[in-house]
Amino acid sequence: MNRTEARPPLDARPDRFKGYRGAARDLLDRMGVGVWSEVRIHTTRGDFEGLVLPRAESADDRHVVLKLATGYNIGVAVETVTAIEETGYRQAHYKIPEQAFPETPGLPRVTLFGTGGTIASRLDYRTGAVIPAFSPGELYGSVPELAEVCNLRTEKLFGVFSENMGPEQWIALAEAVGEEIRKGVDGIVIGHGTDTMHHTAAILSFMVQDSPVPIVMVGSQRSSDRPSSDAALNLIHACKTAGESDIAEVMVCMFGPTSDQYGLLHRGTRVRKMHSSYRSTFRTVSDIPLAMVDRHAITPLRPDYRRRGEREVKVDTAFDDRVTILYYYPNMKPDVIDALVAAGYKGIVIAGTGLGHVNKQVYPALERAAAAGVHVYMTVQTLWGFVQMNVYESGRDIQERGVIPAANMLPEVAYVKLGWALGHSHDREEVKRLMLTPVAGEITEREPFDGYLILQGGLPEVEEFTRKYRI
Amino acid sequence: MADIPAYGELSARDYAEMGLMGGLEVHRQLATERKLFCRCPARRLTDEYHAEVLRHMRPTLSELGEYDGTALMEFKTRKDIVYRINRDNVCTYELDDAPPFELNQQALEYALEICLMFGCSIVGEVHIARKQYLDGSIPTGFQRTAIVGLDGAIPFPGQPGRVVRVQQISLEEDSCREVSDRGHVRTYIADRLSTPLIEVVTKPDLRTPEEWAVAATEIRKLCRASGRAATGAGTARQDVNVSVRGGTRVEIKGVPSIRLIPRLVHYEAVRQRALLEIRDRLRAAGLDEVPERSVDLTAAAESLQFRPVREALRFGGVVRGVVLPPPLARELDTLVGPGRPFARELADRVRVIACLDEEPNILWHPSAEAALPSAAWQRLRRAGGLAEGEGLVLVWGPERDVRTAVTEIADRCRMALDGVPPETRQVMDDGTTGFERVLPGPDRMYPDTDLPPSPLTIDRVEAARARVPAPSWEQEAALVEAGLPAAAARAIVLDGLYEHARRGLAVPGLPPQRVGEVLVDRFRLLRRRGWMGEPLEPEVVEQVFFRLAEGALSREVLPIVLRQLSGCRRADDPDTPEGIFAQQAVPPTAEVDAAVRVVLDGPPPRSADPEARLRYWMGRVMFELGYRAPGRAVRARILAALEGR
């Protein structure tokens, strides 16, 4: 426990009103107390004793937050306060125990790049949110098992939430990864927020080609400030994969089932976040994952992956960000497409219905887009399965208007790939060639039957499965 | 060595000399329809499950940057936690696969009302905290909990002016039910998880074992009086805090019944006293540290004819001996509880933390118990290089677990130098307690970042205040005032039947003792027989009282009527209260007379005693009429019929 300290003079307390504003700030000011003051607050609802904590900036200005001796927090309503006495001063020093990450001869060297996800984290008093903690020492302090897996170096590239990742970060990341690989590291791990992890995994698959070592993206669905977090296990799995596995591809390494059993290694171009909150949210779509990983072993599920080896990594970060995804819905009006063209978009990926369809109403707009030199590709909003625009007449009609079927590329993958392709050329045929030539498994030749398996809950045989094998 | 006094042998003065003090944490589920942070139905329990989930827990830092001792202890146990889940009462929230929905406002209202009844200061803003529980009883690894009221008090019965002070009342989610805990696997069923409950924490104002029971009963009465507490098996649990002078606060967790509490308090007090005496002797002997010293005895143990050790070796396990300095060796057999030597304290830690849970899990020497022949001990001592007077604690099992056990034994011995280690203890089958966990501290609290605080505005608090019923002691006084005996009034309030009683007392022509008889004796009889299905609503019981007063129902038929009304139905029971009242109404005199004739014509009583003969016939006629006729009327008709013969 932090002990009571000597009370600094009020004007020597830099965080005295941290997070407080308006009436609450006035009250603290008037009463001669502040954040980290130990106080007794007299109110019309009784007396309260505790430590004044900083307030989340998004919270109202009508309450003062107190930490009681029991560890509980409460809010005291400003309008009920009659007096506050300061009885002491005790500042919180929040720190993840930091220990030098031990260097073990013989273990693989792994570099962990941070982009701002919550692999390891601590609490931010101002926002009440969780902010990442990241140095090797901090990581070792919270996940000591890592030292048994690899020799770790970490580098924080940016501190952005997953949803704020974009071309600027993708390019910087690809270049950093390439540089690190050229230095001869045994594997790369990239800590990333999970929301757009599959976008980044896809673009990295195009921007970093022929990697001789594994590039493993990892994150957590439950932040590491919770005892049930998946962060530590994901990180252990990712470091193990980066250091030991023979799979030299861009992969996403996240929980297989929601149980703490094993992780799955998903190919970076075939993976998608499929649930807003489940641990097992990442699924390989229209194919099976590359491998399973647990603390003891990496078990490949298929032989056709790129092996670790001696070769030059190619970094190709060309990108044109004038691309968009258009999620088709019934009764879509042509003006939506016209507006995108008018706004200067050069590439549109449509997520169409069924085998890749849009309504007749938008046909003229598709023609106008093609005439304006806009590259339009068709993917499916069913996510699983191929675009097939020859089965129905409407599909043929749409193709005649310049829309190119993008096989079984996932819409998000087609989106980042189109940006990458347009970074290289705006020539219709060259873009088409780039788009339809698979680089990293984004288009497959075949779809195995078990590339699409969503167990339907409630069925007796599924219940038997979930009881026996856990979920 | 001093004997352990049995419960009942010590006086209040003895406890005062020991400096016994402590308090209670009463947990009580609320009668809400849904759970606290999701829309699952509350209190729909079943052992059936559709899937299992496996998890592990890791300690995390508190808001102030500390690790909690309990958390580290649980991490050492390396348990696989398995949850059994049923889709009808558990959703992705309880599984920790979805963030919480908004706080259940019905639960918050109920908690607010109960806080007001306890006279608490109501907080301005409810902040949800995460209280870490790494035992796995909650899949998130923390319990969401929030303080609603602080600093309340309720009168201590029989001692005017004295109160039981309430430190705080929080609203929190209940944990899972444990199914089993064997080795490194602990299994829970998740149905109870996240049921809203309140925790009432008293200040350490209690001084004799009986006072704990009195305070627990008063708290229970007030919760029942609120009408907001759930009732039935498993809806209430008590944690009992105990310390003696020079000792430490120890928490006995999850005591299911108030009756058990005084005995547990007594034995905890004498355990602490015994531990303090051990400490004093160790200090007097000049012992000021216990180095961790252990020896590998795997080879030496191979010839032991002791089944548990042989089993361990057969499965590739190891045997180690922890070497203790002579002053500690002399205390291994010192009793700290009835039939519980100090060495059991070591065995407890080994069981819980090292997961070596097959008893016996340790042997010690010197000992009065002769589990091993003395020659075997001598061999082991020689193999371990023990000096004269040193103690040897033998532990066996898988190597990793034995390593943990050795550290835990040394740690626990070290704690003996300080006296009483702070810990939570569980109630054992023999009425004593055993080590459960290290006592968690404020370091396990962490603010919940998933939900914003909820303000409790002045308007909302005042609206709740206007709604709350009279507190239990006022209810009791009102019932006594209305003519009920004090014992009946107490029982009625304790059972949450104040409103039923109030309505009964208002029925013209119904004597107050009849109300007490129905609500206390009849209701308890019903519950004992398992005839009470659904709790009876006051409106329904009021109908019974009216019919009793009018003579439309007999006293004797009441158990049957109440059983039928509470939904505990049998094949040809009517399904409306009207139907039940009609079926069970007092029969006309002609029907009684007909039954009397049949009985008097039947087999005669064996006794010659006139009173006994009359009792025999009465019993037969009452049975014949399904108890619908009042006993007095039946007696009169039998006498009349006999007169005519």
Side-chain angles (χ1 to χ4, degrees):
Chain A
M1 224 26 240
N2 296 280
R3 311 230 173 266
T4 297
E5 304 157 20
R7 261 185 276 176
L10 290 174
D11 51 13
R13 302 181 188 178
D15 291 337
R16 186 176 161 205
F17 301 114
K18 201 170 179 176
Y20 287 95
R21 56 196 163 82
R25 189 184 199 279
D26 291 348
L27 178 76
L28 296 178
D29 195 11
R30 206 165 60 241
M31 296 292 174
V33 297
V35 166
W36 312 128
S37 290
E38 291 180 310
V39 293
R40 186 172 180 81
I41 302 186
H42 304 273
T43 80
T44 53
R45 290 190 191 171
D47 294 351
F48 301 95
E49 248 177 285
L51 176 73
V52 179
L53 289 186
R55 184 140 172 100
E57 274 166 0
S58 56
D60 68 37
D61 68 345
R62 297 191 307 276
H63 298 89
V64 172
V65 186
L66 272 195
K67 174 166 286 294
L68 310 178
T70 52
Y72 277 92
N73 293 357
I74 60 164
V76 178
V78 168
E79 58 181 337
T80 63
V81 174
T82 52
I84 306 182
E85 303 155 38
E86 187 176 70
T87 57
Y89 184 81
R90 185 160 56 98
Q91 193 170 354
H93 301 284
Y94 188 100
K95 211 163 163 285
I96 290 177
E98 201 165 338
Q99 289 174 13
F101 197 98
E103 174 84 24
T104 313
L107 284 184
R109 278 161 308 127
V110 169
T111 297
L112 168 62
F113 286 114
T115 64
T118 54
I119 289 283
S121 53
R122 62 188 179 85
L123 195 81
D124 180 352
Y125 274 114
R126 284 169 306 112
T127 58
V130 171
I131 59 172
F134 187 66
S135 75
E138 287 172 334
L139 282 179
Y140 181 60
S142 43
V143 193
E145 296 98 316
L146 290 176
E148 297 163 22
V149 172
C150 63
N151 289 312
L152 192 68
R153 189 182 88 76
T154 64
E155 188 177 333
K156 185 180 166 187
L157 293 177
F158 3 89
V160 297
F161 288 117
S162 166
E163 63 270 23
N164 299 324
M165 289 288 291
E168 189 193 325
Q169 288 77 19
W170 296 337
I171 292 167
L173 178 59
E175 280 167 358
V177 166
E179 199 175 313
E180 199 64 17
I181 291 172
R182 284 186 209 105
K183 283 188 199 157
V185 76
D186 294 311
I188 303 277
V189 175
I190 298 161
H192 199 288
T194 54
D195 282 7
T196 65
M197 190 187 284
H198 56 285
H199 297 82
T200 304
I203 191 65
L204 272 187
S205 304
F206 305 126
M207 288 185 170
V208 182
Q209 295 183 24
D210 289 341
S211 170
V213 299
I215 300 169
V216 190
M217 302 203 56
V218 70
S220 70
Q221 282 290 89
R222 296 285 92 77
S223 59
S224 62
D225 59 333
R226 349 172 18 131
S228 59
S229 172
D230 54 340
L233 201 53
N234 278 332
L235 195 56
I236 293 166
H237 291 158
C239 286
K240 187 176 177 72
T241 303
E244 294 175 20
S245 93
D246 192 32
I247 311 173
E249 296 195 21
V250 176
M251 295 171 267
V252 164
C253 172
M254 292 286 289
F255 265 39
T258 178
S259 288
D260 288 2
Q261 276 169 303
Y262 56 87
L264 287 176
L265 300 178
H266 303 277
R267 186 163 269 157
T269 55
R270 290 245 61 90
V271 63
R272 199 171 187 283
K273 186 173 185 179
M274 299 302 288
H275 192 278
S276 64
S277 58
Y278 248 83
R279 286 165 170 74
S280 50
T281 179
F282 284 93
R283 300 278 105 178
T284 289
V285 176
S286 286
D287 213 333
I288 61 167
L290 290 169
M292 295 164 75
V293 53
D294 63 22
R295 284 163 189 258
H296 311 291
I298 296 155
T299 313
L301 299 172
R302 49 195 299 168
D304 60 338
Y305 55 83
R306 237 171 136 63
R307 315 272 151 163
R308 197 186 269 277
E310 292 296 320
R311 56 180 171 263
E312 270 305 298
V313 63
K314 287 206 291 280
V315 176
D316 178 357
T317 59
F319 199 85
D320 186 333
D321 74 349
R322 291 172 292 175
V323 286
T324 184
I325 299 183
L326 187 62
Y327 195 95
Y328 173 75
Y329 45 86
N331 198 33
M332 180 179 273
K333 301 284 200 315
D335 56 358
V336 175
I337 295 171
D338 290 334
L340 289 171
V341 174
Y345 281 89
K346 295 297 176 200
I348 298 174
V349 171
I350 299 174
T353 55
L355 290 164
H357 300 130
V358 292
N359 59 354
K360 267 206 166 65
Q361 265 195 86
V362 303
Y363 287 5
L366 291 174
E367 282 166 20
R368 288 191 290 273
V374 175
H375 306 260
V376 184
Y377 284 80
M378 181 63 75
T379 60
V380 290
Q381 53 185 248
T382 58
L383 302 178
W384 273 270
F386 282 82
V387 178
Q388 194 7 315
M389 298 172 71
N390 299 316
V391 174
Y392 297 104
E393 195 184 331
S394 54
R396 294 192 289 273
D397 289 347
I398 295 165
Q399 285 191 79
E400 275 167 27
R401 283 157 180 86
V403 177
I404 302 165
N408 67 344
M409 246 191 286
L410 289 163
E412 297 83 0
V413 177
Y415 158 72
V416 299
K417 193 175 184 192
L418 188 52
W420 178 75
L422 290 175
H424 291 83
S425 171
H426 278 238
D427 176 72
R428 189 176 159 81
E429 284 312 308
E430 176 59 6
V431 171
K432 185 175 173 185
R433 187 188 68 79
L434 286 169
M435 282 299 284
L436 300 185
T437 309
V439 171
E442 70 275 21
I443 294 174
T444 63
E445 294 194 324
R446 320 169 42 240
E447 182 183 8
F449 79 91
D450 52 357
Y452 173 68
L453 264 190
I454 303 177
L455 297 181
Q456 193 76 71
L459 304 182
E461 64 268 30
V462 173
E463 200 170 294
E464 198 178 316
F465 177 87
T466 55
R467 282 170 64 112
K468 185 166 174 196
Y469 295 104
R470 297 177 179 156
I471 53 172
Chain B
M1 301 286 152
D3 273 347
I4 293 298
Y7 172 61
E9 281 180 17
L10 298 187
S11 65
R13 173 186 288 236
D14 293 327
Y15 291 117
E17 272 170 20
M18 290 163 74
L20 173 63
M21 62 181 273
L24 280 165
E25 294 166 24
V26 177
H27 302 262
R28 185 107 220 177
Q29 288 180 356
L30 296 176
T32 58
E33 282 135 40
R34 295 174 179 208
K35 291 188 176 179
L36 193 52
F37 292 107
C38 64
R39 292 73 176 265
C40 285
R43 301 183 312 285
R44 192 175 295 170
L45 304 188
T46 164
D47 289 342
E48 244 176 78
Y49 62 99
H50 303 121
E52 283 191 349
V53 171
L54 169 81
R55 296 273 167 77
H56 301 104
M57 297 289 159
R58 295 179 74 88
T60 63
L61 295 180
S62 80
E63 186 185 19
L64 296 180
E66 315 276 329
Y67 277 114
D68 183 62
T70 323
L72 292 176
M73 179 210 107
E74 290 290 350
F75 191 49
K76 279 196 264 184
T77 63
R78 296 176 290 114
K79 288 267 186 193
D80 278 352
I81 313 285
V82 175
Y83 299 101
R84 293 184 174 168
I85 50 184
N86 181 309
R87 79 171 68 79
D88 299 329
N89 53 37
V90 170
C91 69
T92 50
Y93 165 71
E94 291 100 314
L95 274 184
D96 193 34
D97 263 321
F101 295 84
E102 68 289 351
L103 176 70
N104 180 336
Q105 290 300 310
Q106 185 187 32
L108 182 57
E109 287 299 323
Y110 287 7
L112 176 59
E113 290 173 25
I114 292 173
C115 285
L116 289 167
M117 291 184 80
F118 275 92
C120 289
S121 310
I122 305 300
V123 302
E125 203 177 43
V126 175
H127 284 243
I128 295 160
R130 298 173 176 181
K131 190 194 266 186
Q132 283 198 5
Y133 277 96
L134 272 83
D135 57 359
S137 59
I138 306 185
T140 46
F142 53 76
Q143 177 187 42
R144 287 193 163 89
T145 168
I147 288 193
V148 180
L150 289 157
D151 296 324
I154 57 172
F156 193 99
Q159 298 187 28
R162 184 173 172 191
V163 294
V164 178
R165 291 182 299 158
V166 171
Q167 179 182 306
Q168 65 181 54
I169 297 180
S170 50
L171 172 62
E172 52 193 40
E173 48 183 356
D174 208 342
S175 55
C176 292
R177 294 190 290 144
E178 188 179 302
V179 177
S180 64
D181 186 5
R182 305 260 146 64
H184 289 281
V185 183
R186 191 180 286 149
T187 303
Y188 290 102
I189 190 144
D191 51 5
R192 192 181 72 183
L193 180 61
S194 287
T195 307
L197 59 81
I198 49 153
E199 183 198 45
V200 180
V201 181
T202 76
K203 298 229 165 150
D205 290 344
L206 309 171
R207 295 292 180 267
T208 67
E210 293 69 33
E211 287 187 4
W212 267 262
V214 171
T217 305
E218 289 309 298
I219 291 169
R220 179 181 163 174
K221 273 198 270 189
L222 191 52
C223 289
R224 292 301 288 265
S226 76
R228 301 308 198 190
T231 57
T235 54
R237 301 191 294 281
Q238 284 82 209
D239 295 346
V240 177
N241 295 321
V242 182
S243 70
V244 301
R245 193 177 304 106
T248 309
R249 185 172 78 92
V250 162
E251 194 172 311
I252 304 165
K253 296 289 273 188
V255 184
S257 153
I258 293 174
R259 257 180 316 116
L260 301 173
I261 296 178
R263 177 179 298 269
L264 292 168
V265 171
H266 164 82
Y267 282 116
E268 178 54 25
V270 296
R271 187 186 74 97
Q272 294 201 11
R273 187 171 66 172
L275 290 174
L276 292 172
E277 286 167 1
I278 290 175
R279 175 198 67 185
D280 293 343
R281 284 193 295 273
L282 294 176
R283 286 182 180 173
L287 192 68
D288 52 14
E289 63 167 335
V290 183
E292 182 178 324
R293 190 178 140 208
S294 70
V295 287
D296 182 5
L297 295 174
T298 310
E302 254 161 34
S303 60
L304 285 186
Q305 295 302 313
F306 183 63
R307 226 172 67 97
V309 170
R310 296 194 68 81
E311 288 280 294
L313 291 177
R314 201 157 63 83
F315 290 106
V318 300
V319 181
R320 285 195 85 81
V322 182
V323 182
L324 299 179
L328 261 167
R330 288 194 292 274
E331 302 294 349
L332 287 171
D333 269 341
T334 304
L335 288 182
V336 297
R340 286 179 64 88
F342 171 71
R344 293 282 311 163
E345 298 261 320
L346 310 181
D348 274 356
R349 297 252 166 175
V350 170
R351 169 175 57 81
V352 174
I353 301 177
C355 299
L356 295 170
D357 50 11
E358 297 281 336
E359 308 260 333
N361 57 2
I362 62 170
L363 291 177
W364 61 95
H365 188 256
S367 167
E369 284 172 49
L372 295 182
S374 142
W377 277 115
Q378 291 315 323
R379 252 198 333 273
L380 291 168
R381 294 180 68 97
R382 262 199 311 279
L386 267 75
E388 183 68 31
E390 283 182 330
L392 182 61
V393 180
L394 207 62
V395 55
W396 54 88
E399 192 185 350
R400 260 181 95 172
D401 294 343
V402 169
R403 229 179 318 153
T404 310
V406 165
T407 307
E408 286 310 313
I409 290 170
D411 279 354
R412 179 61 189 86
C413 285
R414 217 164 283 134
M415 292 172 200
L417 298 175
D418 293 327
V420 186
E423 61 194 30
T424 68
R425 298 182 66 80
Q426 54 184 322
V427 181
M428 308 301 270
D429 294 338
D430 62 0
T432 62
T433 62
F435 172 73
E436 185 182 55
R437 306 181 214 305
V438 176
L439 189 70
D443 289 341
R444 65 169 166 164
M445 303 294 292
Y446 203 83
D448 188 18
T449 46
D450 292 332
L451 288 167
S454 335
L456 287 177
T457 60
I458 292 174
D459 290 350
R460 188 165 178 186
V461 173
E462 290 317 310
R465 200 187 300 280
R467 238 181 1 244
V468 297
S472 44
W473 53 92
E474 285 178 17
Q475 293 184 355
E476 253 181 83
L479 293 179
V480 170
E481 176 79 7
L484 272 176
R490 195 157 52 240
I492 283 169
V493 173
L494 190 58
D495 290 344
L497 298 172
Y498 172 72
E499 181 57 24
H500 301 68
R502 210 183 51 80
R503 290 184 185 225
L505 292 167
V507 170
L510 189 68
Q513 53 285 19
R514 192 59 36 84
V515 173
E517 181 186 287
V518 171
L519 294 179
V520 182
D521 306 337
R522 293 289 169 268
F523 268 50
R524 288 192 169 171
L525 174 79
L526 242 58
R527 274 196 295 268
R528 237 190 346 265
R529 290 191 181 166
W531 281 6
M532 190 71 101
E534 294 294 306
L536 288 163
E537 293 301 321
E539 299 73 31
V540 176
V541 178
E542 187 178 28
Q543 292 298 311
V544 175
F545 284 134
F546 270 116
R547 284 174 169 77
L548 263 183
E550 288 162 1
L553 285 175
S554 72
R555 283 166 70 186
E556 291 80 357
V557 82
L558 274 180
I560 298 169
V561 171
L562 294 173
R563 170 183 64 72
Q564 291 178 323
L565 286 172
S566 77
C568 210
R569 289 221 170 81
R570 293 188 185 159
D572 28 340
D573 283 350
D575 50 11
T576 62
E578 290 67 35
I580 292 167
F581 292 138
Q583 187 194 53
Q584 304 298 349
V586 170
T589 311
E591 193 184 333
V592 178
D593 284 344
V596 168
R597 265 196 309 280
V598 170
V599 167
L600 290 182
D601 291 343
R606 260 169 296 184
S607 175
D609 172 44
E611 264 309 307
R613 292 169 72 85
L614 185 57
R615 271 203 307 278
Y616 168 82
W617 281 317
M618 269 194 68
R620 297 294 301 264
V621 176
M622 289 299 289
F623 178 78
E624 204 65 32
L625 292 169
Y627 302 96
R628 286 172 298 138
R632 205 178 324 150
V634 170
R635 183 187 167 95
R637 298 315 301 162
I638 293 173
L639 288 174
L642 287 174
E643 210 144 287
R645 291 194 175 206

